[in-house]
Every structure is written in structure tokens, then in C-alpha cells.
Amino acid sequence: MNLPGAVASPMTVPQETDGGSAETYVIATDTTFAPFEFRDSSGELTGIDIEIMEAIAEDQGFQVEWRSLGFNAALQALSADQADGVIAGMSITDERQEVYDFSDPYFTGTMTLAVNEDQGDEIQGWDDLQDKRLVVKTGSMSEEVARERQDEYGYEITSLDQTTTLVESVKSGNADVLMDDYPVIAYGVQQGSGLVTVGEQVEAGDYGFAVNKGRNAELLEKFNVGLAELRDSGEYQEILDEFLASDDEAVDRSTFAGLVVTAMPALLTGLKNTLIVTAIAFLIAMVLGLVFGFMKISRNRFLRGISTAFVSVFRGTPILVWAFFFYFGLPQLIGTPVNIWVAGVLTLALNGAAYIAEIVRGGVQSVDPGQMEAARSLGLGHGKSMQKVVLPQAFKIMTPSLINQLVIMLKDSSLLLAIGFAELLYQAQQIYASNFRVTEVLLIVAVIYFVAITLLTQLANFADRKINK
């Protein structure tokens, strides 16, 4: 039952559990804001915010359906009643309180300075920032504080889009020091980011769980009661310690070997998804490519026109356009969501089919016309001549290009990360968004791609030799 004056959200639905019927709330969150929300080595959503909400849900007897959308998208989903609440390291500000109702604060944030490990002696605090280059996140509280203190300490300010970019700027020497949320930077230090925190911390305000103003008062009350229970039981502090305390695991994640060990499960999951979506898309592309390829060499002008239009459209437009269309645009046209696997397969298959159609056309037309004439002179019809004489020779000509197209499709699958498909490069982004070790993670990914493509090429060449010997 809702509290007086509360309006039930359309997203809140009852759900059967072992103990009977329990309400399920859709909770939106950010995608990568470690240690508050991020994906662990197995690809599961975790972090301080996630664990606190899950613990409160268990204590208060409701279910949580997570929507990992990104911070701005999460707020948009909440405003559009596509989510019941948002928990995403969200600062409680006067402006936001005009739009949202906030819970009791569940975390008091602070900001910190951070430098490369080898600069820890040179820069130890704010007094050492004279003529230094300081990087902050655009539109953040750290940017506001940095500008307030700029005249006093005499540093230069550069604003960048995200924490990962800040860290890479400092590590590459393009900036001397960064300022960002202390828990985020501290977690990266724990993961071996190569930075150290320096100087005094600056208060960044309280974080709160938000619902639309005047909506879901019952959920807000459950959060507050559950949060108080967590604090009293000590579970709240255990959750913070899990993500902020020193790491005593056997694997030293600060080393490259430790990074490989901890990152490999998620990367292998991404590789599996990459191989599966590529294989399915290639099979479909082969069928469509053969059909449109033969249509393009048909004597029927109408069929040639259809094939030419298909090839022109999909060869003349970027893959990303079709990825966004199939995943975001098509659902609006047909009125139903499109599974991300379906969107990914359609994107790769139709693009690949356009190129395979040209490979088929070129392969068939490369066979000496005299071969067809010789077959016809022996009494074979046009269809039999194509099947028995022309196509076997054309297929030998096409095979290297088809193998090359398979490799291209495997690499093009990385573009699907733009729609959130959990392929190899997407998993890599999730990893370095939490540990800030961009160069090392991308190096591991490059090696995995190289090994996978090399083995795939060798396998395809082996099949080619067996079939066309």
C-alpha cells in the first residue's frame, strides 16, 4: 500500500517469490562509475550503490530490476516513468531537489587530487600546484571547486569528459594532476591505476537515492528504513570496506599479470559473444550474398535493379548507422523492442551480404566465358552449365575474398559496443572504466583479437585447401 499522497509508478509490478508476492521496482543506474557501479570480472553489475540497494531490498522485502543506462539516460528514464528510482552516486543539490525527492544521504562524497606515482614527492598538495596543469571533469563539482581556487594556487585548468580521460592525461604527461571523486580515484589506485592521491580532500556533498517528486513515497520510505537497518547492523560499513578498503586478495591486481588474471573472465565472455554473433551473421550474409549476387548477373533487369539497390544502400552507409537504426529506430517503427542480438546480427549480416554479393558477381564473371560455351556445346543447359562448370571454378576464385570478408566482419563486430552489445571491446571498456588501465587492457584485447583472427584464418584456409584441392 502506498503512503498517503504517493502515486504508484507504472513500472512497479508485483512479482511472485518463495515467500509470496513482492513488489519489483525498476532502478536505473550509471554504467561505469566505480566503485559505486561497474561490472566485475565476470561481467556482473556490482558496486557500492548496487550492494546497498540489493541489501535494502532484501531487508524490506521487495525485488529490484536493474537498468544500467548511464547517468543522464538514467535521469531521463526516471523523468519518463520508465524507472521508479535512480541510484548512481548522485549528489543532492538544491536544483535537483526541485525535480526529485531524495532519500536520506547514504554516502558523503569528497574530492581528491591525484598524480602519477613518480610525482608524489614533487606534488604533495594544493600548495605545489603553481603553474601546473590540472584536469577536471566537465560540469562536475570538481570543476567548480577548481575554478574557485585557481587564483589562490595559480594552476591551469583543462576540462575533459570523463574520469578515464583525466587519468590517461596525467599518465601520458599531458597534465600534471587531476581532481575527481575520492572513492573513484581510490578504487582505481587499488586496482593498480598508477596514480597516488595527494593533499587534503574537499567535501563534495551527500549522495542520495532519487525518485520523481511526489512519486513512489513508499519506495523512498523503504530505502530510508532499510538504510538505517544496514547502518545499525554494520552491514553498511562492510559494503564500503568491500570496495574501499585495502585489497588483500592473493592476486596482486596492480601488476600486469594480476590484470590479466582478473580481466580474462570478462574478456573471454566478450570474445565468445563476438565469435557467436560473427558466425551467425556470416552464415546469413552468405545466403543473402549468394542470392543478391546471382540476381546481379541475372538477365532480368528488375532483379538486377533490386540487387544493385541493396548493395548500394548497405555498402554506401556506415555500419554504425544501421546498428543504431535496428536497435533504437526500428522498435519505434514496429512498436516493440528489438533484442540486442537480433540488432547485432542484422547489422553485420546485411552489411556483409552487400559485399559478398559483389564477391559472387565478380567470381562468376571472372570465369572464362569459353567455359560456358564449351558446356553448352556438350548439350548442357544454362542451369547445369552454371552448376557443373562455372560455379566450381568461380567458388575457387571467391574463397580468398570470402575468408577476408569473414575476418572483416569479426573486426566490425567491435562497432556493436555503441549499442551496448557485450562483445570483446565492450567488456574491455567496462574493465578500464573501473581501473583506468586503458593502455594495458587494450593491449590484452589486441592480442586476443590477433590470436582469434589468426586461428580463424588458418582454419578457413585449411577448409579451402580441403574443398578446392
Side-chain angles (χ1 to χ4, degrees), residues 77-394:
L78 179 60
S79 298
D81 283 330
Q82 295 177 351
D84 297 304
V86 169
I87 184 167
M90 185 175 178
S91 298
I92 303 173
T93 64
D94 293 337
E95 293 80 4
R96 288 171 177 166
Q97 286 180 311
E98 294 178 1
V99 182
Y100 308 111
D101 287 330
F102 281 92
S103 67
D104 295 336
Y106 66 86
F107 190 88
T108 299
T110 57
M111 293 176 292
T112 186
L113 299 175
V115 298
N116 275 324
E117 290 176 332
D118 57 5
Q119 288 185 296
D121 295 332
E122 178 185 351
I123 301 176
Q124 298 183 353
W126 291 90
D127 292 332
D128 300 319
L129 296 186
Q130 182 70 38
D131 297 326
K132 301 297 184 183
R133 292 163 294 176
L134 172 68
V135 285
V136 294
K137 272 195 300 190
T138 303
S140 68
M141 189 167 291
S142 61
E143 182 182 39
E144 182 178 332
V145 171
R147 297 201 181 281
E148 290 175 355
R149 299 187 172 198
Q150 186 175 18
D151 291 339
E152 180 181 357
Y153 294 105
Y155 46 76
E156 300 176 10
I157 298 176
T158 300
S159 299
L160 300 174
D161 60 341
Q162 54 186 334
T163 301
T164 304
T165 313
L166 305 184
V167 173
E168 285 302 298
S169 294
V170 173
K171 291 173 69 174
S172 65
N174 292 320
D176 300 299
V177 59
L178 66 83
M179 181 167 62
D180 204 359
D181 295 84
Y182 172 77
V184 177
I185 299 302
Y187 186 78
V189 171
Q190 176 184 313
Q191 300 293 309
S193 65
L195 301 182
V196 292
T197 59
V198 296
E200 63 178 11
Q201 295 179 32
V202 181
E203 283 198 10
D206 294 324
Y207 294 171
F209 168 63
V211 299
N212 278 327
K213 202 164 190 65
R215 308 288 295 272
N216 277 313
E218 183 180 20
L219 173 59
L220 207 58
E221 179 66 17
K222 287 180 178 179
F223 185 93
N224 289 334
V225 173
L227 179 62
E229 293 282 349
L230 292 187
R231 292 186 190 276
D232 292 341
S233 68
E235 187 176 356
Y236 171 81
Q237 191 59 48
E238 291 176 4
I239 292 173
L240 294 188
D241 290 342
E242 178 184 354
F243 296 98
L244 299 180
S246 298
D247 188 6
D248 296 325
E249 293 184 14
V251 177
D252 183 1
R253 288 182 287 187
S254 66
T255 65
F256 184 76
L259 175 63
V260 172
V261 170
T262 55
M264 198 53 69
L267 294 180
L268 290 179
T269 298
L271 176 62
K272 180 187 70 174
N273 292 338
T274 293
L275 294 176
I276 291 174
V277 75
T278 301
I280 296 173
F282 184 72
L283 291 175
I284 296 174
M286 278 294 297
V287 174
L288 293 176
L290 287 171
V291 171
F292 283 106
F294 286 127
M295 288 172 60
K296 196 154 191 182
I297 59 176
S298 170
R299 297 173 180 175
N300 187 304
R301 182 179 301 176
F302 178 72
L303 294 180
R304 290 201 310 270
I306 293 176
S307 178
T308 299
F310 172 83
V311 171
S312 298
V313 167
F314 284 98
R315 286 181 63 185
T317 50
I319 291 181
L320 274 179
V321 171
W322 291 105
F324 284 119
F325 172 78
F326 288 127
Y327 193 57
F328 297 116
L330 186 59
Q332 299 181 42
L333 297 178
I334 63 178
T336 185
V338 174
N339 184 278
I340 196 167
W341 278 85
V342 174
V345 167
L346 284 174
T347 299
L348 294 178
L350 294 177
N351 180 266
Y355 287 92
I356 291 175
E358 285 297 291
I359 292 172
V360 171
R361 178 197 60 77
V364 172
Q365 292 182 340
S366 295
V367 176
D368 191 334
Q371 297 292 312
M372 173 65 80
E373 295 173 2
R376 296 300 298 273
S377 67
L378 293 175
L380 295 177
H382 180 81
K384 283 293 183 180
S385 298
M386 287 289 292
Q387 179 184 353
K388 299 293 186 180
V389 178
V390 177
L391 289 184
Q393 298 180 65

Side-chain angles (χ1 to χ4, degrees), residues 447-465:
V447 171
I448 292 175
Y449 267 119
F450 177 76
V451 172
I453 290 173
T454 300
L455 292 177
L456 183 63
T457 303
Q458 293 296 329
L459 179 62
N461 287 335
F462 175 77
D464 176 31
R465 290 193 296 270

Side-chain angles (χ1 to χ4, degrees), residues 32-35 38-39 164 184 187-189 191 429-437:
T32 51
F33 187 57
F38 63 99
R39 296 191 182 274
T164 304
V184 177
Y187 186 78
V189 171
Q191 300 293 309
Q429 282 190 333
Q430 298 296 307
I431 293 169
Y432 67 62
S434 63
N435 62 22
F436 310 128
R437 300 171 69 176

